[in-house]
Amino acid sequence: MRGRVLRRVAALLACVAAGVLGAAPAPGEASRPPLRVLQLNLCHSGFASCYTSRVIDVAAAVMRAHRPDVVTLNEICAGDVEALGAVLAWVFPGDTIVRAFEPAGDRRTGGPFACVNGEEYGIGLLARIAGPRRATVVDGGLYPDQDTNDPEERAWVCVHARGAYQACTTHLANTVPAVAFAQCRYLFGSAIPALHASAGYEPTVTAGDFNLPDRAQGCVPGDAYVRADDGSVQYVIATADHVLTATTPLDLQQATDHPGLLVSLALCSAAVRAAVARSCT
């Protein structure tokens, strides 16, 4: 844990040194392209009944076919972030691919939860940054609210890229809905606003397995966000300076127990509003 804290402090100090904590550009800045966000729950721990040995290859094929800018990964091992990060780098040669991983906690040991292969188990995020390299901040951690009867302690992680966007992922508790709801409230009410306050506001997208069928809307503040879902527990939730332009469930060939969820988002502009016949803030 100490190493991850030092990493985050160093990253934030680097951003301060680079002068990136000033006022953010307007949300509708035309130079920022649309985002394609791919949410994947890969069930790749090795200890869950939904585990298959095919899922990383299937995920890689989906990424090559659909070319997402952001890939959010749940139920993975630490090495999966590097493996799939290499795929995204192949899809977008020359662009920056930011990789982030946050392990789940293990209540029994006080350390990170482990996959069967011995690697740390948790959540990950891949963020493609087009154009010149940008200062980034990676932040994450464990939720203050956990199911004390479950040895797995749930986590969140975000990548903040100055002048581009902020992306986050999480995998909320699946044992007690009230705990998952409290974790969701913390993410949108505390963790994401704190990163905006410290690193500067950027249009933000959060995706993950919320384990909250029909309840996620109540844990997201008012009209501040728009969302898409897979009809079950996976969501892509974006700040309301976005509009949703497409939502596509993806068949993962029974390599895991969840479909993929691909969502396209555009920042608000007069042209975007006219194209989708919607207003946005």
Side-chain angles (χ1 to χ4, degrees):
M1 292 292 290
R2 183 173 179 271
R4 293 200 300 278
V5 170
L6 291 175
R7 178 198 70 196
R8 292 171 198 139
V9 171
L12 185 54
L13 289 176
C15 286
V16 173
V20 301
L21 298 184
E29 185 180 347
S31 62
R32 302 193 191 194
L35 279 182
R36 290 166 62 82
V37 181
L38 175 62
Q39 157 61 20
L40 298 170
N41 183 324
L42 296 182
C43 190
H44 201 228
S45 65
F47 54 74
S49 60
C50 51
Y51 169 80
T52 73
S53 61
R54 300 182 294 110
V55 71
I56 298 301
D57 289 342
V58 170
V62 166
M63 290 167 59
R64 287 191 291 266
H66 294 280
R67 300 174 58 84
D69 302 290
V70 176
V71 183
T72 53
L73 302 165
N74 300 161
E75 296 193 45
I76 59 163
C77 305
D80 300 336
V81 173
E82 289 303 317
L84 294 176
V87 174
L88 201 61
W90 179 88
V91 171
F92 296 108
D95 289 346
T96 299
I97 307 300
V98 182
R99 299 160 171 86
F101 175 79
E102 190 70 28
D106 190 334
R107 185 181 306 280
R108 300 163 297 188
T109 66
F113 218 91
C115 291
V116 168
N117 66 6
E119 295 178 2
E120 292 183 352
Y121 164 81
I123 56 175
L125 193 153
L126 305 171
R128 172 225 178 185
I129 310 298
R133 183 176 294 274
R134 302 173 187 266
T136 59
V137 176
V138 177
D139 197 11
L142 300 179
Y143 288 106
D145 292 283
Q146 302 283 346
D147 176 7
T148 56
N149 293 316
D150 184 354
E152 181 185 341
E153 298 178 316
R154 303 302 175 114
W156 59 275
V157 69
C158 295
V159 169
H160 181 284
R162 176 64 178 169
Y165 58 85
Q166 179 173 305
C168 304
T169 191
T170 192
H171 181 211
L172 303 183
N174 70 329
T175 49
V176 180
V179 172
F181 192 84
Q183 292 169 348
C184 180
R185 291 292 296 270
Y186 177 86
L187 179 62
F188 289 98
S190 297
I192 289 174
L195 191 50
H196 287 165
S198 63
Y201 177 83
E202 297 295 344
T204 299
V205 59
T206 302
D209 182 345
F210 282 65
N211 282 310
L212 284 170
D214 303 322
R215 295 189 65 196
Q217 187 66 40
C219 69
V220 178
D223 296 326
Y225 290 85
V226 296
R227 73 171 192 172
D229 60 67
D230 66 349
S232 182
V233 295
Q234 294 185 111
Y235 294 91
V236 174
I237 300 175
T239 46
D241 40 15
H242 293 93
V243 290
L244 299 166
T245 58
T247 301
T248 308
L250 300 175
D251 181 5
L252 299 185
Q253 303 173 30
Q254 298 183 321
T256 179
D257 60 341
H258 293 73
L261 178 61
L262 181 67
V263 173
S264 296
L265 299 156
L267 282 168
C268 286
S269 67
V272 167
R273 287 195 296 268
V276 299
R278 286 185 53 184
S279 62
C280 48
T281 57

